[in-house]
């Protein structure tokens, strides 16, 4: 998606001629030639470059200030049910009555949609990144939220960082074009995960509490 491409670009925000290491400190090439244009390879290469060139990209320290919470396990009186992807090793709580759609390679890993309102969706997607990276390699929560909003022509509402279990997670809220959504960004086991919960603007208030439970329930393990 365009958002995945933007996340890679964010790592080179401070220089239009950002460089990445190839063989050593003296062997530098333009990032544009070092990054594969495939969605999943782009984000991986960009995060690797961020680790190799700290003088070009200033990475904020967010993890120490992020409030720590446990992953949500609330079923909200039966509204939510646990789902585990055994093959890929992750889990999440999703609306009990919504339809589930299998993943589409390069787009998303799984999607749930309300049987009545097609605009109400939960989408889980991932892209490989360099081992050892955290989501704060993409900037502060507010910076990331503002840039995602600009890319998608939406309005940035708010953002914050949380330590959910052992994972630093950014929660970004956006609105516009008749819709409202919250996105959780986190890096775990070599992948950047994006959990999106969205609804039409006039349905947001009804779903907001449930969506917060959903996006904070994601874990990179089987329940």
């Amino acid at each position: 998606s365009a958002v995945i491409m933007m996340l890679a670009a964010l790592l080179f925000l401070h220089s239009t001629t950002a460089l990445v290491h190839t063989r050593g400190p003296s062997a530098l090439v333009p990032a544009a030639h070092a990054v594969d244009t495939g969605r999943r390879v782009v984000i991986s290469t960009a995060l690797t470059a961020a680790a190799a060139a700290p003088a070009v990209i200033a990475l904020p320290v967010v993890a120490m200030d992020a409030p720590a919470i446990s992953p949500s396990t609330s079923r909200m009186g039966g509204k939510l049910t646990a789902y585990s992807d055994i093959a890929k090793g992750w889990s999440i709580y999703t609306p009990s009555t919504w339809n589930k759609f299998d993943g589409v390679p390069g787009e998303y890993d799984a999607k749930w949609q309300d049987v009545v309102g097609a605009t109400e969706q939960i989408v889980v997607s991932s892209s490989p990144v360099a081992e050892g990276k955290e989501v704060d390699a993409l900037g502060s929560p507010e910076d990331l939220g503002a840039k995602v909003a600009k890319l998608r022509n939406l309005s940035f509402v708010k953002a914050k960082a949380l330590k959910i279990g052992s994972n630093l997670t950014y929660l970004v809220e956006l609105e516009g074009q008749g819709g409202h959504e919250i996105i959780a960004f986190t890096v775990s086991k070599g992948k950047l995960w994006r959990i999106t919960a969205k609804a039409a603007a006039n349905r947001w208030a009804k779903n907001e509490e449930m969506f917060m439970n959903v996006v904070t329930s994601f874990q990179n393990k089987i329940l």
Side-chain angles (χ1 to χ4, degrees):
S1 70
V3 172
I4 290 292
M5 299 296 289
M6 183 279 302
L7 294 178
L10 280 177
L11 295 168
F12 304 99
L13 206 61
H14 299 293
S15 174
T16 57
T17 57
L19 302 175
V20 297
H21 290 280
T22 55
R23 296 189 185 128
S26 62
L28 299 173
V29 295
H33 298 295
V35 179
D36 189 300
T37 54
R39 288 189 182 97
R40 297 179 182 272
V41 179
V42 165
I43 188 66
S44 176
T45 307
L47 283 170
T48 302
V56 176
I57 303 160
L59 303 181
V61 178
V62 178
M64 290 188 295
D65 298 325
I69 65 170
S70 298
S72 175
T73 56
S74 173
R75 295 179 183 269
M76 298 188 69
K79 287 184 178 181
L80 299 178
T81 188
Y83 169 82
S84 291
D85 187 318
I86 297 174
K88 296 181 179 179
W90 58 269
S91 59
I92 192 172
Y93 281 76
T94 61
S96 305
T97 60
W98 288 19
N99 290 329
K100 179 186 177 294
F101 297 85
D102 292 334
V104 176
E107 293 188 27
Y108 60 84
D109 292 80
K111 179 173 74 172
W112 289 261
Q113 184 171 297
D114 188 2
V115 295
V116 178
T119 60
E120 296 172 42
Q121 298 179 348
I122 307 293
V123 181
V124 177
S125 57
S126 64
S127 294
V129 297
E131 288 290 347
K133 300 306 296 179
E134 289 270 17
V135 71
D136 59 2
L138 296 171
S140 71
E142 293 78 11
D143 288 343
L144 177 59
K147 291 178 176 68
V148 173
K150 183 177 180 180
L151 179 73
R152 296 177 51 202
N153 196 29
L154 297 174
S155 297
F156 170 62
V157 179
K158 60 185 177 181
K160 64 181 178 180
L162 292 174
K163 194 80 170 182
I164 303 178
S166 60
N167 295 328
L168 179 63
T169 302
Y170 285 179
L171 299 183
V172 172
E173 192 172 328
L174 309 172
E175 65 180 359
Q177 300 180 16
H180 203 126
E181 63 189 80
I182 186 167
I183 312 169
F185 295 92
T186 191
V187 174
S188 179
K189 295 182 180 178
K191 288 188 175 183
L192 170 68
W193 294 89
R194 193 170 80 252
I195 302 91
T196 304
K198 57 185 176 181
N202 61 358
R203 301 274 295 174
W204 179 255
K206 178 182 177 181
N207 288 291
E208 184 176 6
E209 181 183 1
M210 181 180 72
F211 283 168
M212 181 60 71
N213 277 286
V214 169
V215 300
T216 58
S217 72
F218 177 82
Q219 297 186 68
N220 212 323
K221 68 177 184 179
I222 302 300
L223 292 175

